[in-house]
Amino acid sequence: MQIHSMWDDYPTLKKDLAKTLDLMSSSIDLPNKEIEQTIIELFHSGGKLLRPAYLLLFSAFGKNTDKKKSIALAAAMETLHTATLIHDDIIDEAEVRRGVTTLQTKFDKDVAVYSGDYLFIVCFKLLAKYTDSLRSIKLNTASMEKVLLGELGQMNTRYRIDITVDEYIQNISGKTAELFALSCFLGCYENGGSTKLASNCREIGKSIGLAFQIVDDILDYSQTEETIGKPVLEDVKQGVYSLPLICALEENKAFFEPILIKKDQMTDEDTRVIHEGVITYGGVEKAYQLADHYTQTALDLIQQLPNNKANTKQTIFDITKQILTREN
Amino acid sequence: MQIHSMWDDYPTLKKDLAKTLDLMSSSIDLPNKEIEQTIIELFHSGGKLLRPAYLLLFSAFGKNTDKKKSIALAAAMETLHTATLIHDDIIDEAEVRRGVTTLQTKFDKDVAVYSGDYLFIVCFKLLAKYTDSLRSIKLNTASMEKVLLGELGQMNTRYRIDITVDEYIQNISGKTAELFALSCFLGCYENGGSTKLASNCREIGKSIGLAFQIVDDILDYSQTEETIGKPVLEDVKQGVYSLPLICALEENKAFFEPILIKKDQMTDEDTRVIHEGVITYGGVEKAYQLADHYTQTALDLIQQLPNNKANTKQTIFDITKQILTREN
């Protein structure tokens, strides 16, 4: 088992994240042990575990931090995230995720569909087992609904060269920011934090999630296939235009249109031209400005948080700064 | 809106089923209205609505039947069932379901994946909104887990010509019988029925579900593509061998093996030969015997139920007999 090296400086958190992964793994019990093993491998494939980490860090803002419960909720968040990754990989027909062969490549599409579904259920199982309130189930359900609405909203904007920045933000508010928001909220709220404080935590999570997704989308334009671990600009072929391209399109639609119109028939040379064009027409730079805006909002809100006994406020500040200014 | 004609003789139930469909439809609110419309069309495409019907019928065994809550739970069950249908259709690459063009055909695979996921969430949303106990959420989660384990268990037995009747029963116990069991259980339990009575209802639902799936699988061998509304023996090509074929295989493995070994490369002529072989080697007949066994178990258990004010016991008996001896 490998916990991402970004947590090396935070030994308590690192240990709790290891426990989170353990709980996730032990919650999976499938008739086919080969499928089970592949899912568990995916859990342990070195993702940053940001959602569970934030949940655990924000749990210190509760009146009475319940470690066991927080780890279970953290496991629920990461399981949910993994479910969406598995279903994303079906759609992208991705062969590899974080160096692990995807379920639909190793087995078949059906295994990937049902495994994702199964992980959604495991998420609810963990929540229902460890929470004591229907309210948390309701909040979780509402958040999951927003995640899916974000994914389905993305369908609406596919292949649209006139997609606006606002539409993009709306899509990523659902598909990415919502789970960050929920993780920060639940960490505080489920450990007895006040509704007001938990609601602030939620806002922080949302800003982090927005900035995180923008930075992620920017990295598509500064990375090679090797360092990023998935094919470069594959999303563009499939009509999902992210912020750097949207900003560049605003600058020079005529440059991109003849290529984008080819849709999934775009060649590697086409994506190379798009890649260069996005940089040339300032798409990356503009996207960075918006990422900075959300990063700053998050950091400002974090600074306004009260202190807590476990001193996680500074950690939250530091790691947020680190992941939102990362270069890979 | 069209409610299946099998409910014509039960006007109260028919009205409640219409309300169930209304609630399902009004629970769907998507950014893309075309996708929303397609999902709602699927809801109204004339399925038998057996799971919600049983839930509503069994609700009369509670001490205090809460109609509004029962309709919401019924809607949750049918929404969940629809979610599994949508994901099944992705796997089968089905173009049509009950005469309605499938989501992945009308839009794309991603829409089908996320719409199914969304309906899973809507199911939990309905449950969380209308139930007052975490216990129901837990039970529902446990049932959904069994449904998925049944689907994933099916992977284990795919293309295996030595698959046993027991393995088949185990698969359909999860993927079909569990939702019937849960519907019957929740109907009684959530309306104040005793744990013992609700547990009996669960057993009845399980037997009905098993018999229902076996009859469904038998009908694949007695129907044409037109009457069944989906390609005949498509499942066999994909390695899912159902009871009639399993029984026929036990009789004459050598006849089927050279054809089955072609897997998804089987021609229409191949499936025709399998079709005939299954009848010749008594597969359909033997499958009928097992369907009869579970039907009889269900009917016996129903007769042992106490009477209730709404007099649904006789209705349950009659419609169970009807659907389990149906010929299409």
Side-chain angles (χ1 to χ4, degrees):
Chain A
M1 181 169 51
Q2 194 66 37
I3 303 292
H4 196 284
S5 60
M6 73 177 282
W7 306 114
D8 284 352
D9 293 339
Y10 310 96
T12 309
L13 181 58
K14 191 173 177 178
K15 221 169 61 187
D16 290 342
L17 287 172
K19 282 186 194 162
T20 303
L21 286 182
D22 280 346
L23 178 59
M24 289 165 68
S25 301
S26 65
S27 302
I28 307 295
D29 184 10
L30 292 179
N32 184 318
K33 292 301 159 192
E34 223 186 327
I35 299 175
E36 181 178 307
Q37 202 43 49
T38 308
I39 294 174
I40 292 175
E41 251 175 69
L42 181 58
F43 286 160
H44 290 91
S45 59
K48 296 191 185 71
L49 303 173
L50 292 173
R51 295 153 192 82
Y54 277 113
L55 194 142
L56 292 164
L57 289 166
F58 276 92
S59 71
F61 290 104
K63 283 192 199 82
N64 305 295
T65 307
D66 178 339
K67 187 59 82 67
K68 196 174 161 194
K69 182 183 184 181
S70 299
I71 286 172
L73 296 173
M77 292 302 105
E78 188 65 11
T79 302
L80 181 53
H81 174 55
T82 311
T84 64
L85 292 184
I86 290 173
H87 280 180
D88 285 352
D89 285 340
I90 298 171
I91 290 155
D92 300 344
E93 296 179 3
E95 289 184 14
V96 177
R97 158 81 64 180
R98 296 190 203 133
V100 178
T101 308
T102 55
L103 283 159
Q104 81 264 21
T105 308
K106 193 160 178 184
F107 304 97
D108 214 340
K109 202 169 43 182
D110 40 8
V111 173
V113 171
Y114 295 135
S115 296
D117 292 352
Y118 174 67
L119 293 189
F120 274 117
I121 307 304
V122 171
C123 163
F124 273 107
K125 194 171 69 167
L126 285 164
L127 282 174
K129 188 167 171 191
Y130 289 94
T131 187
D132 33 27
S133 79
L134 257 179
R135 182 168 148 79
S136 287
I137 302 277
K138 282 181 194 173
L139 287 167
N140 195 66
T141 308
S143 280
M144 284 173 76
E145 188 175 12
K146 282 184 197 157
V147 172
L148 270 315
L149 291 177
E151 298 277 16
L152 284 163
Q154 195 168 278
M155 308 297 112
N156 260 355
T157 51
R158 271 181 60 190
Y159 291 120
R160 268 189 38 216
I161 64 164
D162 60 344
I163 174 177
T164 64
V165 172
D166 279 353
E167 285 173 314
Y168 165 83
I169 294 294
Q170 203 178 329
N171 290 343
I172 70 168
S173 290
K175 75 168 195 169
T176 308
E178 187 59 33
L179 260 194
F180 279 90
L182 180 65
S183 298
C184 297
F185 173 87
L186 284 182
C188 174
Y189 182 77
E190 282 279 334
N191 287 290
S194 71
T195 309
K196 189 172 170 348
L197 182 55
S199 156
N200 290 346
C201 296
R202 192 176 210 300
E203 279 312 301
I204 293 170
K206 190 170 176 185
S207 293
I208 293 172
L210 290 172
F212 179 78
Q213 184 62 54
I214 296 172
V215 171
D216 219 47
D217 289 339
I218 289 170
L219 290 175
D220 280 345
Y221 289 88
S222 60
Q223 300 253 303
T224 61
E225 181 166 337
E226 218 165 89
T227 53
I228 206 170
K230 61 182 180 185
V232 169
L233 299 195
E234 190 56 35
D235 284 357
V236 176
K237 283 190 194 172
Q238 295 180 25
V240 180
Y241 305 157
S242 70
L243 189 59
L245 177 54
I246 295 167
C247 292
L249 270 165
E250 282 182 350
E251 212 54 48
N252 190 341
K253 204 154 281 172
F255 176 85
F256 295 100
E257 194 164 10
I259 308 174
L260 292 177
I261 218 164
K262 295 186 196 174
K263 298 189 171 179
D264 56 358
Q265 300 303 312
M266 288 197 318
T267 62
D268 287 352
E269 174 59 17
D270 288 331
T271 53
R272 204 191 53 72
V273 173
I274 286 182
H275 196 145
E276 279 186 16
V278 165
I279 293 162
T280 307
Y281 294 107
V284 168
E285 209 182 312
K286 264 193 164 175
Y288 261 127
Q289 286 166 14
L290 202 56
D292 276 347
H293 163 75
Y294 287 115
T295 302
Q296 208 45 60
T297 304
L299 294 176
D300 289 349
L301 289 171
I302 291 166
Q303 280 184 312
Q304 291 166 35
L305 285 171
N307 287 315
N308 64 53
K309 279 187 226 154
N311 265 325
T312 64
K313 185 174 154 177
Q314 190 59 42
T315 307
I316 292 172
F317 187 91
D318 293 341
I319 63 143
T320 299
K321 200 164 176 182
Q322 181 188 335
I323 59 165
L324 298 184
T325 54
R326 74 195 191 281
E327 282 170 4
N328 58 56
Chain B
M1 181 168 53
Q2 193 67 36
I3 303 291
H4 197 283
S5 60
M6 74 176 282
W7 306 115
D8 284 353
D9 293 340
Y10 309 98
T12 309
L13 181 58
K14 191 173 176 175
K15 220 168 63 190
D16 290 342
L17 287 172
K19 283 186 195 161
T20 303
L21 286 182
D22 280 347
L23 178 59
M24 288 165 67
S25 302
S26 65
S27 302
I28 306 294
D29 185 10
L30 293 179
N32 184 317
K33 292 300 159 193
E34 223 186 327
I35 299 175
E36 180 177 309
Q37 202 44 48
T38 307
I39 294 173
I40 292 175
E41 249 176 68
L42 181 59
F43 287 160
H44 290 89
S45 59
K48 296 191 185 72
L49 304 173
L50 293 172
R51 294 152 193 82
Y54 276 113
L55 194 143
L56 292 164
L57 289 166
F58 277 92
S59 71
F61 290 104
K63 283 190 198 86
N64 305 296
T65 306
D66 177 341
K67 187 59 82 65
K68 196 175 161 193
K69 181 184 185 181
S70 299
I71 286 171
L73 296 173
M77 293 301 106
E78 188 66 11
T79 302
L80 179 52
H81 174 55
T82 311
T84 65
L85 292 184
I86 290 173
H87 280 180
D88 284 351
D89 285 341
I90 298 170
I91 289 156
D92 300 344
E93 296 180 0
E95 289 184 11
V96 177
R97 159 80 65 182
R98 296 189 203 134
V100 177
T101 308
T102 54
L103 284 158
Q104 81 264 22
T105 308
K106 194 160 177 184
F107 306 96
D108 214 339
K109 203 168 46 179
D110 40 8
V111 173
V113 170
Y114 295 135
S115 296
D117 292 351
Y118 174 67
L119 293 189
F120 275 117
I121 307 306
V122 171
C123 164
F124 273 106
K125 192 170 71 168
L126 284 164
L127 281 175
K129 186 166 173 192
Y130 288 95
T131 187
D132 33 27
S133 79
L134 257 179
R135 181 167 149 81
S136 287
I137 303 277
K138 284 182 193 175
L139 286 167
N140 195 66
T141 309
S143 279
M144 283 173 75
E145 188 175 13
K146 282 185 197 159
V147 172
L148 270 316
L149 290 179
E151 298 277 17
L152 284 164
Q154 197 168 275
M155 308 296 112
N156 259 353
T157 51
R158 270 180 62 191
Y159 291 120
R160 268 192 34 218
I161 63 163
D162 60 344
I163 174 179
T164 64
V165 172
D166 279 354
E167 285 173 315
Y168 165 83
I169 294 295
Q170 205 180 327
N171 289 343
I172 69 168
S173 290
K175 75 168 196 169
T176 309
E178 187 58 34
L179 260 194
F180 278 90
L182 180 65
S183 298
C184 297
F185 173 88
L186 285 182
C188 174
Y189 181 78
E190 282 279 334
N191 287 289
S194 72
T195 309
K196 189 173 171 348
L197 183 56
S199 155
N200 291 346
C201 296
R202 191 176 213 298
E203 279 311 300
I204 293 169
K206 187 166 182 191
S207 293
I208 293 172
L210 290 173
F212 180 78
Q213 184 61 55
I214 296 173
V215 170
D216 219 49
D217 288 338
I218 290 171
L219 290 175
D220 279 346
Y221 289 89
S222 60
Q223 299 253 305
T224 62
E225 180 165 337
E226 217 164 272
T227 53
I228 206 170
K230 59 182 180 185
V232 169
L233 299 195
E234 191 56 35
D235 285 356
V236 176
K237 282 190 195 172
Q238 295 180 25
V240 180
Y241 305 157
S242 70
L243 190 59
L245 178 54
I246 294 168
C247 293
L249 270 165
E250 282 182 349
E251 213 55 47
N252 190 340
K253 204 153 280 171
F255 176 85
F256 296 100
E257 193 164 9
I259 308 174
L260 293 177
I261 218 163
K262 296 187 196 174
K263 297 189 171 179
D264 57 357
Q265 300 304 311
M266 289 198 313
T267 63
D268 288 352
E269 173 60 16
D270 288 331
T271 52
R272 203 191 54 71
V273 173
I274 286 181
H275 197 147
E276 279 186 17
V278 166
I279 293 162
T280 307
Y281 294 107
V284 169
E285 210 184 312
K286 264 192 162 174
Y288 261 128
Q289 286 167 14
L290 202 57
D292 276 347
H293 163 76
Y294 288 114
T295 303
Q296 208 45 59
T297 303
L299 295 176
D300 288 350
L301 289 171
I302 292 167
Q303 281 184 312
Q304 290 165 35
L305 286 170
N307 288 313
N308 64 53
K309 277 188 223 150
N311 264 325
T312 64
K313 183 174 157 177
Q314 190 60 42
T315 307
I316 291 172
F317 187 91
D318 293 342
I319 62 142
T320 300
K321 200 164 174 179
Q322 182 189 334
I323 58 164
L324 298 185
T325 54
R326 74 196 193 280
E327 282 171 1
N328 59 55

